[in-house]
């Protein structure tokens, strides 16, 4: 499965993008803002391609997608949330978007996660 996030709108608080699976639109994303110098819990991960596994999150106490080998980051996951206050460098997903906010996040996550659970060799490219 090939997931791609195209970052579209950047503000001082967040970065909104579109997530596709094998080229087909799935949902919107919200990440922290991109920065030249990383600030812990307030910076989007570097652009690039990463392997994704699904494992137990100690923080959330449930299975969640985890990005592997993100430079200078640990524990980068895809999970529900609505604003930059809900992410510490992770990728949030939602069905709708507005300035610095996404909505229907749990619905978007549940649909995406169901597809991911049945997939093998998941990669995510962020551009």
């Amino acid at each position: 499965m090939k997931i791609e996030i195209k970052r579209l709108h950047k503000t001082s608080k967040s970065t909104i993008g579109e997530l596709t699976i094998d080229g087909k639109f799935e949902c919107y994303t919200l990440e922290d803002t991109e920065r030249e110098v990383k600030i812990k819990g307030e910076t989007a991960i570097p652009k690039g391609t990463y392997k994704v596994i699904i494992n137990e999150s100690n923080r959330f106490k449930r299975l969640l997608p985890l990005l592997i080998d993100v430079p200078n980051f640990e524990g980068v996951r895809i999970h529900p949330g609505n604003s930059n206050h809900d992410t510490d460098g992770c990728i949030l997903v939602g069905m709708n978007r507005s300035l610095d906010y996404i909505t229907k996040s749990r619905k978007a996550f549940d649909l995406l996660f169901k597809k991911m659970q049945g997939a093998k060799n998941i990669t995510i490219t962020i551009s």
Side-chain angles (χ1 to χ4, degrees):
M1 171 183 278
K2 293 183 181 182
I3 299 173
E4 185 172 357
I5 295 175
K6 291 184 182 176
R7 292 177 173 161
L8 302 174
H9 306 285
K10 301 168 190 168
T11 71
S12 62
K13 295 180 182 177
S14 72
T15 303
I16 299 287
E18 290 181 342
L19 185 148
T20 59
I21 297 176
D22 299 325
K24 294 183 181 180
F25 176 80
E26 179 72 18
C27 59
Y28 294 102
T29 61
L30 186 143
E31 302 173 76
D32 285 318
T33 194
E34 290 182 278
R35 300 179 192 279
E36 292 287 324
V37 178
K38 180 182 184 294
I39 299 173
K40 185 175 179 171
E42 297 182 21
T43 305
I45 65 173
K47 293 175 183 174
T49 299
Y50 306 100
K51 180 179 177 171
V52 179
I53 64 168
I54 296 173
N55 69 358
E56 183 79 19
S57 165
N58 291 331
R59 178 178 176 191
F60 293 100
K61 307 296 184 216
R62 64 175 285 191
L63 292 174
L64 289 174
L66 174 70
L67 282 68
I68 304 298
D69 296 328
V70 179
N72 301 314
F73 286 78
E74 291 181 12
V76 176
R77 297 205 178 257
I78 300 172
H79 63 82
N82 301 109
S83 73
N84 66 311
H85 300 292
D86 300 324
T87 179
D88 283 333
C90 291
I91 300 168
L92 309 179
V93 294
M95 302 299 287
N96 301 307
R97 66 184 168 106
S98 62
L99 184 65
D100 296 319
Y101 202 79
I102 55 175
T103 62
K104 297 184 180 177
S105 183
R106 291 199 191 282
K107 180 179 180 180
F109 177 80
D110 290 345
L111 291 169
L112 174 62
F113 191 61
K114 185 176 181 179
K115 291 176 182 177
M116 292 178 80
Q117 282 184 301
K120 295 192 184 338
N121 300 321
I122 304 169
T123 61
I124 187 165
T125 299
I126 300 169
S127 61

